[in-house]
């Protein structure tokens, strides 16, 4: 099978942990332990979140007295792709001796006409009081909005249109390579009036970008792995219920938080609707069980899934070992 898996940025820097490199590298090693068994038997593409990491780098850049202006978000996103990609690359190489692994920096094409650019909504970076936020907005050209009792910077979150390097990823997969890519949804880029690519100050949703990539690669399955075991209806209430099987239509009738589970549900629904294949949401450490239909929330066109036993696994080309 060809499987595309997204792991959340919180899997690499868990809530409450200090952002030390050693801590994140150890978390990356644990993530690899969960994914290596699938990589040994299937074609595998791994994407990852970068929210905590890009927030940390943005704060460092904003407070660097040597800089006239902080580094733009597209540059910070590329930095996190290199950092996290390195940790996952090395972990996979150690877990899969003889298997080729590649971690690549990706760009995600978005439309310059996307209405998100006119209405920034994605919170990034640290919190401020209103006066400080407005002062920084004037100095740095930011958009700022209230986030609960605080104020924060907001940036556009345009819809992903295409992963620019999709053909390269497909070639690597066909050669039996495990590919780590599209970190943080990919570096957001647009085509300017001259037809050239250029980065933009935006954040692409990682799960939506992963779904776009999975569809382009004609993946057999899309797994969005996070720090919760499944999708819940009524999450946080006494009536909360686990959703183990669902159709896209059934999930779309429910309401999910826009900043967390909402984009994941939208991503799996889109993928299943476009391809007729399987998508699932669940815990990172249950990746194998999710694919086997024994854990997580599995979404299919008919809402029924008994496991991959009726699907023919794709063998890894021997010339790639």
């Amino acid at each position: 099978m060809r499987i595309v898996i997204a792991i959340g940025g919180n899997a690499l820097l868990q809530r409450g942990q200090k952002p030390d490199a050693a801590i994140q590298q150890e978390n990356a090693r644990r993530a690899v332990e969960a994914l290596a068994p699938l990589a040994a038997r299937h074609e595998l593409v791994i994407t990852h979140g970068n929210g905590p990491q890009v927030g940390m780098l943005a704060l460092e850049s904003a407070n660097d007295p040597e800089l006239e202006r902080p580094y733009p978000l597209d540059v910070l996103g590329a930095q996190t792709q290199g950092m996290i990609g390195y940790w996952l690359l090395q972990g996979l190489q150690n877990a899969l001796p003889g298997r080729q692994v590649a971690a690549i920096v990706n760009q995600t094409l978005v439309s310059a006409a996307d209405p998100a650019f006119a209405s920034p909504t994605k919170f990034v970076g640290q919190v401020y009081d209103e006066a400080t936020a407005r002062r920084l907005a004037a100095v740095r050209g930011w958009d700022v909005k209230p986030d609960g009792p605080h104020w924060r910077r907001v940036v556009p979150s345009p819809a992903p249109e295409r992963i620019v390097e999709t053909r390269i990823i497909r070639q690597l997969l066909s050669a039996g390579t495990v590919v780590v890519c599209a970190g943080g949804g990919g570096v957001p880029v647009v085509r300017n009036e001259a037809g050239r690519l250029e980065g933009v100050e935006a954040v692409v949703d990682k799960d939506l970008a992963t779904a776009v990539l999975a569809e382009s690669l004609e993946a057999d399955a899309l797994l969005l792995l996070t720090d919760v075991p499944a999708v819940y209806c009524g999450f946080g209430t006494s009536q909360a219920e686990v959703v183990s099987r669902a159709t896209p239509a059934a999930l779309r009738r429910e309401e999910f938080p826009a900043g967390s589970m909402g984009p994941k549900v939208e991503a799996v629904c889109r993928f299943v609707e476009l391809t007729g294949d399987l998508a699932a949401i669940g815990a990172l450490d249950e990746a194998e069980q999710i694919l086997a239909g024994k854990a997580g929330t599995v979404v299919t066109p008919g809402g029924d899934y008994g496991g991959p036993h009726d699907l023919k696994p794709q063998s890894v080309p021997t010339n790639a070992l």
Side-chain angles (χ1 to χ4, degrees):
M1 295 175 66
R2 177 170 289 181
I3 306 171
V4 176
I5 293 179
I7 59 176
N10 287 325
L12 300 169
L13 186 60
Q14 298 169 15
R15 292 175 176 84
Q17 287 187 324
K18 291 185 177 180
D20 293 344
I23 291 174
Q24 295 188 72
Q25 192 163 13
E26 174 61 18
N27 290 338
R29 185 191 65 78
R30 292 176 180 172
V32 166
E33 283 184 354
L35 301 180
L38 293 178
R41 298 192 300 274
H42 303 286
E43 293 184 351
L44 195 64
V45 175
I46 301 169
T47 74
H48 59 83
N50 70 344
Q53 294 81 9
V54 80
M56 176 188 67
L57 292 179
L59 181 61
E60 292 177 352
S61 179
N63 292 324
D64 190 335
E66 298 297 319
L67 297 176
E68 290 187 8
R69 294 182 65 85
Y71 279 25
L73 282 176
D74 57 320
V75 175
L76 296 177
Q79 289 180 356
T80 63
Q81 284 189 2
M83 177 175 68
I84 298 171
Y86 159 63
W87 289 329
L88 294 173
L89 169 76
Q90 189 175 82
L92 287 163
Q93 288 173 330
N94 289 334
L96 302 166
R99 184 78 177 274
Q100 296 300 308
V101 185
I104 63 177
V105 174
N106 272 113
Q107 302 167 99
T108 297
L109 187 66
V110 301
S111 171
D114 193 304
F117 285 109
S119 181
T121 57
K122 182 73 172 179
F123 290 108
V124 296
Q126 67 188 109
V127 299
Y128 305 98
D129 59 64
E130 181 178 357
T132 301
R134 292 191 181 280
R135 178 178 59 81
L136 290 172
V139 171
R140 296 174 178 170
W142 289 357
D143 290 292
V144 295
K145 289 184 179 179
D147 182 14
H150 305 287
W151 283 65
R152 294 177 69 190
R153 182 186 180 190
V154 289
V155 298
S157 185
E161 301 286 342
R162 179 176 173 81
I163 304 301
V164 175
E165 294 78 16
T166 296
R167 289 177 183 150
I168 297 172
I169 298 168
R170 187 181 294 114
Q171 290 173 0
L172 289 168
L173 275 177
S174 297
T177 304
V178 178
V179 183
V180 179
C181 61
V187 177
V189 297
V190 298
R191 289 200 182 275
N192 61 23
E193 293 182 357
R196 296 180 179 274
L197 295 172
E198 60 181 30
V200 291
E201 282 280 271
V203 174
V204 178
D205 183 84
K206 172 258 303 177
D207 296 311
L208 295 178
T210 301
V212 169
L213 177 62
E215 191 275 329
S216 298
L217 294 174
E218 298 181 309
D220 299 296
L222 168 67
L223 306 184
L224 305 184
L225 304 180
T226 181
D227 54 358
V228 297
V231 175
Y232 289 80
C233 287
F235 182 76
T237 71
S238 58
Q239 289 79 37
E241 294 183 0
V242 173
V243 179
S244 59
R245 298 286 186 275
T247 63
L251 282 182
R252 289 191 185 280
R253 287 194 292 268
E254 304 294 331
E255 293 186 4
F256 299 98
S260 53
M261 190 56 70
K264 290 178 171 53
V265 169
E266 176 63 22
V268 296
C269 288
R270 284 189 192 181
F271 177 76
V272 174
E273 289 166 345
L274 285 171
T275 68
D277 290 315
L278 172 148
I281 299 172
L284 173 62
D285 58 2
E286 294 183 326
E288 285 191 280
Q289 296 95 309
I290 291 169
L291 189 63
K294 298 177 180 178
T297 297
V298 179
V299 185
T300 58
D304 52 350
Y305 180 66
H309 52 272
D310 57 342
L311 299 175
K312 183 179 179 181
Q314 296 184 10
S315 60
V316 177
T318 55
N319 60 4
L321 301 178

